Amino acid sequence: MKKTIKSTIGAMLVIAASAAGAADHAAAAHWSYEGKTDPAHWAELDQANAACKLSKEQSPINIVESQAKKAPLAALDLNYVAGSAEVINNGHTVQVNLPAGSVMKVGDQTTNLLQFHFHTPSEEKINGVHYPMVAHFVHKNAEGKLSVVAVLFKQGRENKTLAPVFNALPAEGKPLQLASFSPADVLPAKRAYYKFMGSLTTPPCSDGVQWQVLKHPAELSKKQLAAFRKLYKMNARPEQPLNERVVEVSE
Ligand SMILES: [Zn+2]
């Protein structure tokens, strides 16, 4: 059962694992956010996780607004379609798996939306401060390159689009099917964003991931945040060093 639940995330991680020559790795080592398998130990848990320690372009980062470089960034052209969705609890987060058909274009690059999932608090910090939650929209292009759009959430009004998800957050092994869900409606209308290169924020921490963090947050109610935190009190990797990277921001 566990294998089935993890297969979606697994499919994503295998790309990175095979690059490291570990494609035939039987099962990913257990990891967590607290205790003996916490983020400080991820690299030691499995050779496939070496990037968690060695890569100089890890996520998440603290975005310091005054240090971001203003740039004529291409608009995020999101052609997300409404359709069925599957909500799973994979033991690390709650994830909404989406059918094929939702596409993001940035300049001349086209990439396909696979899923989105949540972290509390937000993994990203803005000027040193976490938001209560973030959703990561994970895309993959034809070459297997990953591109993530991060949507920050502040506490406020009930999020009606996400109500069907937060009203019935599933337990592990009990996927929830939604007949109709519109991923585009999760995103705020304003799409200014920060752009930088980073990594997966979970093992194996593979780098080469293009990040876009939306400047304007969406909202979730106190009740919705509490419902998620009943399942996951904290599922955020700590801030990673920026090193030589430059964060760009839409003009
Ligand atoms: Zn994430």
Side-chain angles (χ1 to χ4, degrees):
M1 202 55 163
K2 235 178 175 145
K3 219 161 195 173
T4 324
I5 302 160
K6 285 185 175 155
S7 62
T8 317
I9 269 207
M12 199 176 102
L13 302 183
V14 159
I15 306 156
S18 46
D24 52 344
H25 225 79
H30 172 78
W31 56 271
S32 61
Y33 290 100
E34 285 167 317
K36 289 182 177 158
T37 55
D38 75 1
H41 296 93
W42 286 354
E44 303 154 21
L45 300 175
D46 193 319
Q47 280 187 339
N49 299 351
C52 301
K53 191 175 186 176
L54 299 178
S55 154
K56 301 284 184 227
E57 297 195 336
Q58 288 288 284
S59 292
I61 58 168
N62 174 32
I63 296 169
V64 180
E65 221 160 0
S66 61
Q67 288 169 16
K69 186 182 155 201
K70 283 191 178 147
L73 301 180
L76 300 180
D77 182 7
L78 304 174
N79 298 298
Y80 291 173
V81 294
S84 62
E86 181 190 48
V87 187
I88 61 160
N89 180 334
N90 63 22
H92 300 293
T93 188
V94 172
Q95 177 171 312
V96 181
N97 292 325
L98 300 160
S102 287
V103 166
M104 174 171 75
K105 288 182 189 160
V106 188
D108 55 1
Q109 303 285 314
T110 299
T111 187
N112 301 295
L113 178 63
L114 303 178
Q115 47 98 342
F116 68 93
H117 59 266
F118 301 95
H119 299 271
T120 190
S122 72
E123 297 195 301
E124 302 76 6
K125 286 192 225 166
I126 308 291
N127 300 325
V129 180
H130 291 284
Y131 277 77
M133 192 169 294
V134 68
H136 288 157
F137 283 70
V138 180
H139 306 75
K140 191 169 80 169
N141 74 5
E143 287 82 50
K145 288 254 182 233
L146 296 173
S147 177
V148 181
V149 174
V151 180
L152 299 159
F153 292 94
K154 64 177 182 185
Q155 187 177 307
R157 282 170 301 186
E158 185 194 18
N159 189 309
K160 295 261 196 299
T161 307
L162 288 171
V165 177
F166 282 82
N167 288 346
L169 290 165
E172 276 190 78
K174 308 266 184 205
L176 166 72
Q177 307 297 330
L178 300 178
S180 182
F181 184 83
S182 174
D185 294 341
V186 181
L187 283 87
K190 292 180 182 169
R191 304 274 166 79
Y193 66 101
Y194 301 102
K195 182 185 176 192
F196 50 91
M197 288 306 290
S199 71
L200 300 179
T201 65
T202 56
C205 310
S206 320
D207 54 21
V209 178
Q210 179 66 63
W211 280 86
Q212 290 92 188
V213 176
L214 296 190
K215 270 183 92 167
H216 300 282
E219 293 184 28
L220 281 169
S221 69
K222 191 176 175 182
K223 202 174 149 192
Q224 289 179 314
L225 289 166
F228 185 88
R229 287 175 183 159
K230 245 187 207 172
L231 288 179
Y232 294 103
K233 188 164 53 99
M234 191 284 285
N235 67 338
R237 186 188 193 193
E239 176 189 337
Q240 301 296 303
L242 187 62
N243 295 318
E244 305 302 312
R245 285 176 286 178
V246 173
V247 174
E248 293 183 308
V249 59
S250 320
E251 282 177 323

